[in-house]
Amino acid sequence: MLTSSLEADWWRQAVVYQIYPRSFADANGDGIGDLKGITSRVDYLSELGVDAVWLSPFYPSALKDGGYDVADYRNVDPRIGTLDDFDEMMAALNKAGIKVIVDIVPNHTSNDHEWFKEALAAGKGSAARERYIFMDGKGPNKDQPPTDWESVFGGPAWSPSGQNDGQWYYHWFDSSQPDFNWNNEDVKADFLKTFRFWGDRGVSGFRIDVAHGCAKDMSGELPSYKELAEMTAKKLSNGNADLIHPIYDRDEVQDIYKTWRKIFNEYSPPLIAVAECWVAADRKHLYASPDTLGQAFSFDILLDQFDAAAYRKTIDFQLEGLKESGSSSTWVLSNHDVIRHATRYSLDMPVAESSDLQAHIPIYNMHLASGFTQPKTDPARGLRCARAATMMILGLPGSTYLYQGEELGLPEVANIPAAERQDPNFFRTEGRIIGRDGCRVPLPWNEKGIHHGFGEGKEPHLPMPEWWGKHAVDTALDRPDSTLNLYRRAMALRKDLQCGEALEWLDSPAEVLHYRRPNGWEVVLNAGESDYIIPEGRTVVLSSGVAVTDRVPPETTVWLTPSPSV
Ligand code: NOJ
Ligand code: CA
């Protein structure tokens, strides 16, 4: 069946809403969000006006890393539901015109995956071990790890096989997440099967976890961790495109994605894929090419302060970088890995030091406990800036990825007791990095009532603070100026705004961003301290702050249409 280019290009300017299933809605009251919970909230998503949802992993998992430790790629965690529940959810979402994207974690499995268990049991030199990265330890007893490398979450990146055979396995993340060997044919074939499995069930595409990391070459002499970190830093800065790194952004990773693309294109419209790749701007097009994954996340705007000049630089840079692949941009301010932006913009501390960019995953370092658990915050400012920044990105060409709860203006929950924390980042750094649980607290649906409407049974799997109810959906719907009503209005208007993909900057003071889209609509963000007077001939159709007609107050974004001529 032929697909029209309009249908095939649905993703280019889509609004994709990220659901973290365990924290969205708990239909059976066991304290864990589930697929039936999502199905029960389809009307909410439809009224919000999103084009697609992206589901973080819902596969069987020991939850050592919030589900990014997958034990079976082609099933549903029994605590979250069944494949029938998945089909029912898909049907309900599709009926409401909402597409579904699922998360694929190809860099590593859970240590509960049957292949890893088989690998441990089969012993050194076996074909089963070839699917992962096993190496002999160092020293006469092989009781030292093969290298001194650290994992992204802190602590060593190698763990002993536990079989008294002198072997260690590599895990870039937690010790419960052994890395795959992507030179292995079984691994390659299995993922093709996984893509077909979900493609045949009707999903519209995939979000690819750690897309920069699958291809590795561990043969030959390996650098020290210090050398490795320096190589990573170079790799992440522009102009080092030729630098070869043993585990990071290797050219041959694209060969893997080219084989996936053939499968994606068997579907009509072709399945989409968006890469989570932390790579230099001059490498991003490789992941976003129509022959490979097709789209790549950009987190640059998320790392910016609320600053017009910084935003403009990022936007120009981002749009320029896309020319090579012809892909569309992705705009992201929050996700399940970062401090929610309503809190980030309120923090009286730098959001990301440039040196953080040299670490493997810069965003995790935003959760450094120092300065965050007891931050100087101004929540009202945080929310004002968050609303303004979101309205600014929603007007840009490209697709926007929203994270569940940001439409409620939810802040980060900073003070989760240590005993209730779940993030391996917290445990592996002895609490030095407090981790990402604060942005994963289950959603408040009702101001009052048991667990704020998240579920009616057991305690939610992460505790809700006592002030959670004031951010609930039901009260937000009643308040015309709520963040939820702002998002809903914006999404409805956006259907007209997203016409072509061009963007034209208009003259404005340095602390103001002012751009025009091809249909004449304009967006103005004021990050300055005084009002910005709107030039003649425009009508305000949306304001992220108070209602205005002729000016843009500080920390506010407005959308403008050309005034009808009289
Ligand atoms: C990126 C995911 O977004 C994050 O949540 C996860 O911990 C790592 N990849 C490892 O899978
Ligand atoms: Ca449940």
Side-chain angles (χ1 to χ4, degrees):
M1 191 176 67
L2 277 180
T3 322
S4 76
S5 69
L6 202 65
E7 260 182 280
D9 285 349
W10 68 267
W11 54 276
R12 293 190 69 91
Q13 304 219 62
V15 176
V16 182
Y17 181 92
Q18 181 191 356
I19 293 183
Y20 189 75
R22 288 175 182 78
S23 299
F24 188 70
D26 173 19
N28 66 353
D30 64 355
I32 299 169
D34 41 47
L35 299 183
K36 279 193 184 302
I38 300 173
T39 308
S40 73
R41 299 291 181 181
V42 168
D43 287 351
Y44 173 78
L45 296 166
S46 159
E47 281 155 20
L48 185 57
V50 301
D51 300 299
V53 291
W54 144 35
L55 266 56
S56 276
F58 49 80
Y59 316 111
S61 166
L63 294 184
K64 293 287 169 55
D65 181 21
Y68 285 87
D69 45 325
V70 179
D72 178 355
Y73 292 88
R74 297 185 286 274
N75 214 333
V76 176
D77 190 318
R79 286 165 295 185
I80 290 197
T82 61
L83 283 169
D84 285 345
D85 293 343
F86 182 88
D87 294 341
E88 193 186 47
M89 176 199 74
M90 275 279 312
L93 284 164
N94 287 171
K95 192 162 165 229
I98 300 172
K99 297 181 159 59
V100 176
I101 295 172
V102 297
D103 214 315
I104 299 291
V105 188
N107 180 68
H108 45 265
T109 64
S110 154
N111 55 353
D112 287 340
H113 192 286
E114 65 170 69
W115 275 2
F116 191 68
K117 293 197 242 172
E118 195 186 326
L120 292 183
K124 184 171 167 178
S126 62
R129 284 213 178 169
E130 275 301 303
R131 296 177 183 135
Y132 292 90
I133 302 175
F134 279 88
M135 274 175 86
D136 278 348
K138 279 199 171 149
N141 301 324
K142 300 186 178 155
D143 55 0
Q144 300 298 313
T147 68
D148 66 343
W149 295 2
E150 287 176 24
S151 97
V152 168
F153 292 148
W158 296 92
S159 290
S161 70
Q163 308 295 306
N164 284 325
D165 54 10
Q167 287 229 295
W168 297 64
Y169 65 92
Y170 178 70
H171 50 88
W172 202 349
F173 295 88
D174 187 49
S175 53
S176 64
Q177 294 167 295
D179 282 45
F180 266 136
N181 166 16
W182 267 94
N183 293 320
N184 182 275
E185 295 305 321
D186 290 351
V187 173
K188 293 181 189 166
D190 198 61
F191 273 86
L192 302 187
K193 206 165 150 189
T194 295
F195 290 126
R196 287 211 169 92
F197 181 87
W198 294 109
D200 291 352
R201 285 200 117 81
V203 308
S204 296
F206 306 100
R207 178 258 187 196
I208 309 298
D209 193 64
V210 199
H212 53 278
C214 295
K216 299 184 180 73
D217 182 2
M218 301 285 222
S219 63
E221 191 156 342
L222 293 172
S224 69
Y225 185 61
K226 187 166 171 285
E227 288 161 346
L228 187 81
E230 281 162 12
M231 289 172 87
T232 310
K234 278 200 197 132
K235 192 90 199 140
L236 283 171
S237 45
N238 283 326
N240 284 294
D242 297 335
L243 182 86
I244 300 171
H245 191 294
I247 58 171
Y248 211 107
D249 184 25
R250 295 177 61 84
D251 282 342
E252 69 265 26
V253 83
Q254 306 306 336
D255 300 336
I256 304 173
Y257 303 147
K258 282 180 189 155
T259 63
W260 296 2
R261 173 50 58 193
K262 291 201 184 103
I263 308 271
F264 300 161
N265 287 352
E266 285 171 9
Y267 291 81
S268 178
L271 303 180
I272 70 144
V274 53
E276 187 222 15
C277 59
W278 289 91
V279 298
D282 60 354
R283 302 277 300 167
K284 204 158 265 184
H285 67 98
L286 298 167
Y287 296 80
S289 148
D291 296 340
T292 58
L293 297 176
Q295 201 182 33
F297 275 124
S298 161
F299 300 114
D300 298 339
I301 210 143
L302 175 159
L303 295 166
D304 284 336
Q305 305 275 7
F306 186 79
D307 175 322
Y311 286 152
R312 179 160 173 175
K313 197 167 152 214
T314 299
I315 294 165
D316 278 339
F317 185 65
Q318 171 78 5
L319 296 178
E320 185 58 36
L322 289 163
K323 289 191 179 146
E324 195 143 3
S325 64
S327 182
S328 73
S329 190
T330 54
W331 306 107
V332 183
L333 289 169
S334 277
N335 63 32
H336 65 297
D337 288 332
V338 300
I339 297 175
R340 284 186 176 277
H341 63 292
T343 296
R344 229 166 50 226
Y345 288 132
S346 80
L347 292 178
D348 190 13
M349 68 174 202
V351 169
E353 300 284 356
S354 59
S355 62
D356 289 345
L357 279 169
Q358 294 166 14
H360 288 240
I361 299 199
I363 43 176
Y364 297 173
N365 297 342
M366 290 163 63
H367 292 82
L368 276 175
S370 56
F372 177 61
T373 40
Q374 319 225 317
K376 275 200 233 157
T377 60
D378 177 352
R381 172 177 198 268
L383 184 58
R384 266 195 315 274
C385 294
R387 290 168 55 127
T390 307
M391 294 308 119
M392 191 277 288
I393 63 164
L394 276 172
L396 290 170
S399 54
T400 299
Y401 286 75
L402 305 175
Y403 175 52
Q404 70 179 36
E406 66 163 271
E407 75 280 17
L408 305 174
L410 282 187
E412 184 87 0
V413 181
N415 299 319
I416 297 176
E420 309 250 23
R421 288 206 173 268
Q422 299 176 4
D423 191 343
N425 215 185
F426 177 79
F427 301 110
R428 294 181 68 91
T429 59
E430 274 113 41
R432 193 175 57 81
I433 293 179
I434 62 166
R436 300 157 292 171
D437 299 316
C439 64
R440 301 175 179 181
V441 175
L443 289 192
W445 293 91
N446 304 329
E447 184 180 9
K448 304 213 163 64
I450 186 156
H451 309 322
H452 299 296
F454 168 66
E456 291 195 341
K458 289 195 183 146
E459 287 292 325
H461 68 103
L462 277 169
M464 295 172 155
E466 69 359 85
W467 43 266
W468 211 223
K470 73 173 187 228
H471 297 283
V473 171
D474 61 354
T475 103
L477 287 174
D478 290 345
R479 276 183 288 116
D481 64 348
S482 68
T483 305
L484 179 56
N485 281 323
L486 173 67
Y487 271 61
R488 285 165 56 137
R489 272 199 303 279
M491 238 88 87
L493 286 167
R494 193 177 189 274
K495 309 245 183 275
D496 293 327
L497 178 67
Q498 296 299 3
C499 40
E501 289 184 34
L503 173 133
E504 176 194 357
W505 292 112
L506 301 182
D507 284 342
S508 61
E511 59 284 0
V512 171
L513 277 191
H514 190 165
Y515 63 75
R516 181 155 54 206
R517 298 298 306 278
N519 60 353
W521 283 51
E522 294 173 19
V523 173
V524 183
L525 171 140
N526 183 358
E529 288 177 358
S530 47
D531 287 0
Y532 170 70
I533 303 302
I534 298 170
E536 302 270 296
R538 281 92 163 162
T539 303
V540 177
V541 289
L542 184 88
S543 164
S544 71
V546 292
V548 287
T549 52
D550 58 344
R551 69 207 159 82
V552 189
E555 294 166 349
T556 303
T557 292
V558 299
W559 290 10
L560 309 168
T561 55
S563 299
S565 38
V566 271

